[in-house]
Amino acid sequence: MRFLTIALRVFLFAVLLLFCVRNLDPVTLRFYFGIEWTAPLALILFAFFAVGAVIGALSLLPRLVRANRRAAPPAERGAAR
Protein backbone atom coordinates (compact mmCIF):
# COMPACT_ATOMS: atom_id res chain seq x y z
CA MET A 1 0.00 0.00 0.00
CA ARG A 2 2.83 2.37 0.82
CA PHE A 3 4.42 1.71 -2.57
CA LEU A 4 1.15 2.57 -4.29
CA THR A 5 0.93 5.88 -2.39
CA ILE A 6 4.50 6.82 -3.31
CA ALA A 7 3.96 5.81 -6.95
CA LEU A 8 0.79 7.92 -7.12
CA ARG A 9 2.58 10.94 -5.65
CA VAL A 10 5.49 10.61 -8.09
CA PHE A 11 3.06 10.29 -11.00
CA LEU A 12 1.07 13.34 -9.88
CA PHE A 13 4.26 15.36 -9.43
CA ALA A 14 5.47 14.40 -12.90
CA VAL A 15 2.15 15.33 -14.51
CA LEU A 16 2.07 18.70 -12.75
CA LEU A 17 5.70 19.39 -13.61
CA LEU A 18 5.08 18.64 -17.28
CA PHE A 19 1.98 20.85 -17.16
CA CYS A 20 4.09 23.72 -15.81
CA VAL A 21 6.78 23.23 -18.43
CA ARG A 22 4.21 23.23 -21.24
CA ASN A 23 2.41 26.38 -19.95
CA LEU A 24 5.19 28.93 -19.53
CA ASP A 25 3.64 31.40 -21.96
CA PRO A 26 2.97 34.79 -20.38
CA VAL A 27 -0.65 35.59 -19.64
CA THR A 28 -2.02 39.00 -18.67
CA LEU A 29 -4.80 39.23 -16.12
CA ARG A 30 -6.66 42.51 -16.20
CA PHE A 31 -8.35 43.58 -12.98
CA TYR A 32 -10.43 46.66 -12.30
CA PHE A 33 -8.96 50.18 -12.15
CA GLY A 34 -6.30 49.42 -14.75
CA ILE A 35 -4.41 46.87 -12.65
CA GLU A 36 -2.68 44.19 -14.72
CA TRP A 37 -0.65 41.14 -13.77
CA THR A 38 1.53 39.41 -16.35
CA ALA A 39 2.97 36.03 -15.37
CA PRO A 40 3.27 32.48 -16.72
CA LEU A 41 -0.03 30.63 -16.90
CA ALA A 42 1.17 27.88 -14.55
CA LEU A 43 2.10 30.45 -11.88
CA ILE A 44 -1.27 32.18 -12.12
CA LEU A 45 -3.13 28.88 -11.85
CA PHE A 46 -1.02 27.86 -8.85
CA ALA A 47 -1.60 31.21 -7.14
CA PHE A 48 -5.37 31.01 -7.54
CA PHE A 49 -5.38 27.38 -6.39
CA ALA A 50 -3.37 28.31 -3.29
CA VAL A 51 -5.69 31.23 -2.46
CA GLY A 52 -8.71 28.93 -2.84
CA ALA A 53 -7.14 26.29 -0.58
CA VAL A 54 -6.43 28.89 2.12
CA ILE A 55 -9.98 30.26 1.92
CA GLY A 56 -11.36 26.73 2.15
CA ALA A 57 -9.21 25.89 5.17
CA LEU A 58 -10.20 29.12 6.91
CA SER A 59 -13.87 28.40 6.29
CA LEU A 60 -13.48 25.09 8.16
CA LEU A 61 -11.72 26.67 11.12
CA PRO A 62 -14.84 27.61 13.17
CA ARG A 63 -16.26 24.10 12.79
CA LEU A 64 -12.97 22.51 13.90
CA VAL A 65 -12.70 24.78 16.94
CA ARG A 66 -16.28 23.97 17.92
CA ALA A 67 -15.65 20.22 17.53
CA ASN A 68 -12.50 20.42 19.66
CA ARG A 69 -14.38 22.23 22.43
CA ARG A 70 -17.06 19.55 22.50
CA ALA A 71 -14.48 16.74 22.53
CA ALA A 72 -12.44 18.23 25.38
CA PRO A 73 -12.95 16.63 28.82
CA PRO A 74 -14.90 18.75 31.35
CA ALA A 75 -11.76 19.48 33.39
CA GLU A 76 -10.05 21.05 30.39
CA ARG A 77 -13.13 23.07 29.43
CA GLY A 78 -13.21 24.74 32.82
CA ALA A 79 -9.47 25.46 32.79
CA ALA A 80 -9.69 27.12 29.37
CA ARG A 81 -12.04 29.85 30.58
Side-chain angles (χ1 to χ4, degrees):
M1 186 67 181
R2 185 173 181 175
F3 173 76
L4 183 62
T5 303
I6 292 172
L8 184 63
R9 286 181 181 177
V10 168
F11 175 75
L12 185 60
F13 176 78
V15 168
L16 290 176
L17 181 66
L18 290 174
F19 175 79
C20 289
V21 169
R22 296 282 300 162
N23 290 293
L24 290 177
D25 299 330
V27 175
T28 302
L29 285 180
R30 290 179 181 85
F31 300 101
Y32 295 107
F33 309 115
I35 299 172
E36 292 183 353
W37 182 32
T38 302
L41 176 62
L43 178 64
I44 291 175
L45 288 175
F46 175 74
F48 278 92
F49 174 78
V51 168
V54 168
I55 290 172
L58 289 176
S59 70
L60 288 175
L61 193 60
R63 182 176 285 182
L64 292 174
V65 169
R66 214 174 315 130
N68 283 340
R69 283 187 186 162
R70 287 185 192 150
E76 288 183 21
R77 274 189 254 156
R81 290 183 187 176

